[in-house]
Amino acid sequence: MESTKLKRPKHKGSPKLFENPILEKLTHTHIAAPLIIFFGTAAALIYYGIFEKGFRTPQILAWFLGGLFFFTFVEYLAHRYLYHIPATTPRRQKISYTMHGVHHDYPKDKSRLAMPPVLSLIVASILFIIYRAILGDYVFGFLAGFLVGYAAYLGVHYSVHAFKVPNNFLKTLWHHHSIHHYREPDRAFGVSSPLWDHIFRTMPRKNPASSRTAVGKSIDD
């Protein structure tokens, strides 16, 4: 059984995940914190790559765009296979719910729309070590793009859940993610872009079965 099975979400409140007050506090994050951290870190990486490692701007830009594009792929895989792991045991169910299921139950809980900065920094540090071993000094451009991609994803995800659907081209992202939450949790995994949903054929069904009919019309409801 998947922890994020389709059910009516709660649009008010913030559930308690840990008895330990420190761990519980760490699960709540103001969106400004990770955005400042990761945009700032990306800027520092680019600065170091150009002024300390001697890369030319076009080189850094090329690797930056590569990292940005690669992030969209990682975002899709993480959302589809990590966040939505089958909760086949009580332990798995707890991990799955804590990691992502709680977000499906409380999609408007603004304090849980981003991974805690401490955990994000640990992951970013591990990625730096891995990418540095593979790419060498090109890591400064590549990881900068990857982190900007992550920060942009956070910004989009927060906006989709916190603000009304805009009357412009961005409304596609609102509708796409709304379908994932309210109609088809096994589809529409892309948040910052539906690109990989197109490639891997997980775009929303045109005529969903009656069993998948929305329990809420949209994120704005």
Side-chain angles (χ1 to χ4, degrees), residues 114-131:
M115 186 185 299
V118 174
L119 182 57
S120 295
L121 284 172
I122 293 174
V123 173
S125 298
I126 294 173
L127 289 177
F128 178 83
I129 294 171
I130 296 173
Y131 292 163

Side-chain angles (χ1 to χ4, degrees), residues 101-141:
V102 64
H103 171 56
H104 274 257
D105 277 357
Y106 295 83
K108 287 186 176 292
D109 184 354
K110 296 179 182 180
S111 68
R112 286 199 172 116
L113 292 177
M115 186 185 299
V118 174
L119 182 57
S120 295
L121 284 172
I122 293 174
V123 173
S125 298
I126 294 173
L127 289 177
F128 178 83
I129 294 171
I130 296 173
Y131 292 163
R132 183 69 183 274
I134 298 173
L135 302 174
D137 287 344
Y138 294 119
V139 68
F140 294 103

Side-chain angles (χ1 to χ4, degrees), residues 108 159-176 178 217-221:
K108 287 186 176 292
S159 297
V160 165
H161 286 283
F163 305 123
K164 295 289 186 179
V165 180
N167 189 26
N168 55 43
F169 69 97
L170 290 175
K171 66 182 179 181
T172 298
L173 299 179
W174 263 252
H175 292 154
H176 192 73
S178 178
K217 294 181 180 178
S218 75
I219 286 174
D220 283 346
D221 288 349

Side-chain angles (χ1 to χ4, degrees), residues 175-194:
H175 292 154
H176 192 73
H177 197 54
S178 178
I179 289 172
H180 174 73
H181 270 272
Y182 296 97
R183 196 177 78 195
E184 299 180 83
D186 61 336
R187 297 269 169 161
F189 296 105
V191 177
S192 60
S193 167

Side-chain angles (χ1 to χ4, degrees), residues 25 29 70-71 77 90 121-122 158 174 213:
K25 187 173 181 60
T29 304
F70 183 64
F71 172 79
L77 292 181
L121 284 172
I122 293 174
Y158 182 87
W174 263 252
T213 301

